[in-house]
């Protein structure tokens, strides 16, 4: 392994990339045939160029933004008035969906608790589901054919998870965002074979938050995740006063929303790599496993205040949540739990792997929209009226707490500094110059228990990246040279790094050390992870 101890250097100072479009995607003719068939042939320019392919009628934002998603800050700035013109021209509301269907709520798996030990049983298995309406796709899921149940963890309890692999190939299960020992984290070092059962055991140390679980074996993460291996985790704490003041009845006023922007061909085959994406003819958006391309899901809010937990489980695409009427939502949490105070926002931007929580107090009906921007060589785009919420609550909820959580901002003046460089060589993705396609080839960051560090995550490519750190949460110190504001002052484990941009993050390594097992740091565009943009993190006692 390549050990990395580089000191931090100056990051590029640019403004953030603009967000995506506002029109519903229309079905139509397939995209222009691409000439690339192998990942090795995809250079920076090809990543950008292929993003412009578009099916459907008329001028659509994807013809512009599909390419823009893969380029950097300089290119976005250079677009100038053209970008603004397209934004204004297509800023109308999405058209009405053809169909409606009731929002499906994932089953709640609370486990079996005895003497503060909770046991969960999961089976990763293959199945079939309709990703495209009327077309059967080969899929995978946990305890079911597609996706998995929502697990509820309790802070302070000991969790035992008995996870059986019935996939026919190696897998792992990573608890994304959880603070657990490296051996229990579900990284590629603990991959287990078909027919085997893995039983990680750990004490839940996380504050109340929304986490999720998905595969993390070397080279197969995108393949397994896009076929449906994903599920939400809710961490609960009965002693938390903020939680007590918020909606917590699962499926009634506490609602999970799992978004998947996928790539599929007309036969329903779900794609996951470069060759597949270039052959894909449709890029459906699924919410809790239901295709919302032509369907608006419905939900009746029986309580005036409803909480929504948002998870972008897409392999690469960026999702922005907004109201169709332009109204505000009250964001209460980022990746790693509650914000310091509730924030009224009009949009919530989620890169691949990110989560957020928001509440709405509704006296009138509300329609929620998802705006999709492709994050990889090709992908989804457009705006979807994905959820029509009928307001039927007659209760009068108390005011939200003025303070949700105390967040002490780091003074990083004496923190250990590092630079983590995201790079590429054609279709091979790199961290600090190494392609992490095997445990022996990836760069390794070595640190010690109790260390406080500030990292500059520098994107030397013109590609979109979503930086995820296992083990501990981080604070954003700067974003493309600008100070974080508003919800950016919360805790994160996954954050966007645009082409040519950089972020500075600060963290403290607590509780867990190991001389053998490592955590991971990587791009959460799953294709980039499989193509090598992953490094290991070893936290030792000294």
């Amino acid at each position: 392994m390549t050990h990395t101890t580089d000191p931090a250097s100056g990051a590029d100072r640019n403004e953030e990339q603009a967000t995506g479009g506002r029109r519903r995607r229309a079905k139509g003719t397939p995209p222009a045939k691409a000439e690339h068939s192998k990942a090795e042939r995809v250079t920076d320019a090809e990543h950008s160029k292929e993003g412009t392919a578009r099916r459907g009628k008329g001028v659509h934002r994807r013809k512009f933004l599909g390419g823009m998603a893969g380029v950097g800050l300089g290119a976005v700035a250079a677009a100038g008035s053209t970008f603004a013109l397209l934004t204004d021209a297509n800023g109308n509301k999405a058209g009405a969906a053809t169909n409606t269907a009731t929002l499906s709520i994932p089953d709640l798996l609370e486990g079996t608790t005895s003497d503060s030990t909770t046991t969960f049983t999961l089976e990763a298995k293959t199945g079939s589901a309709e990703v495209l309406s009327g077309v059967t796709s080969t899929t995978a899921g946990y305890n079911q054919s597609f996706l998995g149940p929502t697990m509820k963890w309790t802070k302070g309890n000991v969790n035992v998870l008995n996870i059986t692999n019935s996939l026919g190939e190696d897998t792992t299960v990573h608890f994304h965002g959880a603070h657990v020992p490296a051996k229990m984290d579900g990284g590629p070092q603990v991959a287990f074979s078909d027919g085997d059962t893995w039983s990680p055991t750990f004490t839940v140390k996380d504050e109340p938050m929304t986490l999720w679980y998905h595969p993390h074996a070397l080279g197969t993460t995108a393949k397994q995740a896009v076929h449906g291996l994903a599920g939400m985790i809710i961490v609960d704490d009965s002693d938390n006063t903020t939680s007590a003041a918020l909606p917590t009845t699962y499926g009634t006023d506490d609602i999970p929303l799992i978004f998947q922007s996928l790539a599929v061909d007309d036969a329903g085959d779900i794609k996951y790599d470069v060759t597949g994406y270039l052959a894909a003819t449709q890029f459906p958006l699924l919410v809790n496993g239901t295709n919302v391309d032509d369907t608006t899901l419905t939900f009746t809010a029986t309580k005036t205040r409803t909480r929504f937990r948002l998870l972008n489980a897409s392999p690469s695409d960026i999702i922005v949540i907004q109201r169709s009427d332009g109204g505000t939502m009250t964001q209460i949490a980022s990746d790693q739990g509650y914000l310091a105070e509730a924030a009224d926002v009009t949009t919530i931007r989620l890169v691949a792997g990110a989560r957020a929580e928001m509440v709405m107090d509704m006296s009138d009906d509300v329609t929620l929209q998802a705006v999709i921007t492709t994050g990889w060589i090709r992908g989804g785009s457009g705006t979807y009226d994905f959820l029509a919420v009928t307001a039927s609550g007659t209760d009068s909820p108390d005011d939200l707490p003025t303070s949700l959580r105390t967040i002490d901002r780091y003074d990083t003046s004496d923190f250990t500094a590092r630079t983590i460089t995201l790079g590429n060589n054609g279709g091979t993705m790199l961290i600090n110059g190494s392609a992490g396609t095997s445990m022996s080839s990836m760069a390794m960051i070595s640190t010690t228990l109790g260390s406080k560090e500030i990292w500059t995550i520098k994107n030397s490519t013109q590609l979109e990246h979503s930086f995820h750190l296992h083990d501990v949460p981080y604070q954003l110190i700067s974003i493309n040279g600008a100070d974080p504001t508003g919800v950016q002052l919360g805790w994160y484990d996954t954050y966007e790094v645009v082409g040519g941009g950089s972020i500075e993050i600060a963290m403290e390594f607590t509780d867990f050390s190991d001389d053998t097992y490592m955590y991971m740091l990587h791009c959460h565009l799953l294709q980039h992870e499989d193509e090598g943009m992953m490094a290991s993190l070893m936290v030792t006692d000294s």
Side-chain angles (χ1 to χ4, degrees), residues 403-462:
S403 174
L404 302 178
R405 179 188 195 179
T406 299
I407 298 180
D408 295 322
R409 295 290 296 172
Y410 285 133
D411 175 359
T412 62
S413 57
D414 61 350
F415 278 33
T416 300
R418 301 180 189 267
T419 294
I420 310 294
T421 302
L422 310 179
N424 75 303
N425 181 7
T428 300
M429 298 291 129
L430 310 170
I431 290 187
N432 287 355
S434 296
T437 53
S438 68
M439 292 303 300
S440 60
S441 67
M442 65 179 65
M444 185 170 75
I445 310 300
S446 296
T447 191
T448 56
L449 189 64
S451 177
K452 298 179 180 181
E453 304 199 1
I454 178 169
W455 295 3
T456 299
I457 314 301
K458 185 176 182 179
N459 187 352
S460 67
T461 77
Q462 290 301 304

Side-chain angles (χ1 to χ4, degrees), residues 70-191:
V71 302
L73 294 168
V76 171
S81 60
T82 303
F83 185 89
L85 177 63
L86 284 176
T87 301
D88 292 341
N90 291 304
N92 58 321
K93 297 178 184 177
T98 305
N99 307 298
T100 60
T102 303
L103 175 69
S104 175
I105 305 294
D107 291 340
L108 182 63
L109 184 64
E110 296 185 272
T112 302
T113 301
S114 177
D115 296 328
S116 297
T117 297
T118 304
T119 302
F120 299 89
T121 300
L122 291 172
E123 181 186 8
K125 60 183 183 179
T126 58
S128 61
E130 287 192 7
V131 173
L132 300 178
S133 179
V135 179
T136 299
S137 297
T138 298
T139 57
Y142 296 106
N143 294 358
Q144 56 197 41
S145 293
F146 190 66
L147 294 180
T150 297
M151 285 193 286
K152 181 170 279 191
W153 294 358
T154 302
K155 182 182 179 182
N157 275 16
V158 175
N159 277 357
V160 178
L161 291 97
N162 295 318
I163 307 171
T164 300
N165 179 2
S166 300
L167 295 173
E169 62 182 14
D170 288 1
T171 194
T172 72
V173 180
H174 168 52
F175 310 114
H176 184 124
H179 181 48
V180 297
K183 187 176 181 179
M184 311 300 174
D185 184 55
Q189 272 186 296
V190 297

Side-chain angles (χ1 to χ4, degrees), residues 153 155 177-180 204-209 211 235-236 336:
W153 294 358
K155 182 182 179 182
H179 181 48
V180 297
V204 179
K205 291 183 173 292
D206 300 294
E207 297 296 321
M209 64 181 67
L211 309 174
V235 181
D236 190 22
Q336 283 285 311

Side-chain angles (χ1 to χ4, degrees), residues 106 147-150 176 210-214 229-233 255-261 285-288 308-314 317 319 321 335 348-358 386 493-494 524:
L147 294 180
T150 297
H176 184 124
T210 299
L211 309 174
W212 66 300
Y213 60 104
H214 61 80
L229 288 172
M232 188 174 283
I233 300 169
I255 309 301
L257 295 174
I258 302 173
F259 300 89
Q260 299 166 288
S261 183
L285 175 66
L286 278 61
V287 178
N288 291 356
F308 294 95
R309 299 177 185 263
L310 313 174
L311 161 62
N312 185 359
S314 305
D317 289 345
I319 298 179
I321 307 302
D335 286 339
I348 298 175
R349 182 177 175 89
L350 301 172
V351 292
R355 291 91 60 215
E357 297 177 31
M358 60 93 163
F386 73 88
D493 56 62
T494 307
H524 217 280

Side-chain angles (χ1 to χ4, degrees), residues 231-455:
M232 188 174 283
I233 300 169
I234 294 173
V235 181
D236 190 22
D237 179 5
S238 58
D239 294 329
N240 187 282
T241 55
T242 296
S243 294
L246 289 167
T248 55
T249 305
Y250 184 81
T252 299
D253 59 6
D254 189 350
I255 309 301
L257 295 174
I258 302 173
F259 300 89
Q260 299 166 288
S261 183
L262 301 179
V264 186
D265 66 18
D266 289 340
D269 186 32
I270 303 171
K271 308 300 183 179
Y272 60 90
D273 59 9
V274 172
T275 302
Y277 262 66
L278 295 180
T281 54
Q282 302 191 49
F283 297 91
L285 175 66
L286 278 61
V287 178
N288 291 356
T290 301
N291 186 321
V292 297
D293 278 19
D294 298 307
T295 299
T296 297
L297 303 176
T298 62
F299 175 75
T300 299
T302 57
K303 298 290 186 179
T304 299
R305 177 174 295 155
T306 301
R307 176 183 196 167
F308 294 95
R309 299 177 185 263
L310 313 174
L311 161 62
N312 185 359
S314 305
S316 55
D317 289 345
I318 301 161
I319 298 179
V320 175
I321 307 302
Q322 62 188 25
R323 290 172 52 150
S324 64
D325 60 4
T328 60
M329 306 164 288
T330 302
Q331 186 171 343
I332 58 171
S334 55
D335 286 339
Q336 283 285 311
Y338 296 131
L339 302 171
E341 58 185 20
D344 287 336
V345 298
T346 55
T347 60
I348 298 175
R349 182 177 175 89
L350 301 172
V351 292
R355 291 91 60 215
E357 297 177 31
M358 60 93 163
V359 296
M360 290 191 298
D361 290 358
M362 291 172 292
S363 56
D364 296 310
D365 299 347
V366 172
T367 297
L368 293 176
Q369 295 180 330
V371 182
I372 313 300
T373 307
T374 180
W376 198 40
I377 54 169
R378 296 177 64 204
S381 66
T383 292
Y384 299 80
D385 291 330
F386 73 88
L387 185 63
V389 183
T390 300
S392 67
T394 58
D395 58 311
S396 298
D398 294 337
D399 291 341
L400 289 172
T402 54
S403 174
L404 302 178
R405 179 188 195 179
T406 299
I407 298 180
D408 295 322
R409 295 290 296 172
Y410 285 133
D411 175 359
T412 62
S413 57
D414 61 350
F415 278 33
T416 300
R418 301 180 189 267
T419 294
I420 310 294
T421 302
L422 310 179
N424 75 303
N425 181 7
T428 300
M429 298 291 129
L430 310 170
I431 290 187
N432 287 355
S434 296
T437 53
S438 68
M439 292 303 300
S440 60
S441 67
M442 65 179 65
M444 185 170 75
I445 310 300
S446 296
T447 191
T448 56
L449 189 64
S451 177
K452 298 179 180 181
E453 304 199 1
I454 178 169
W455 295 3

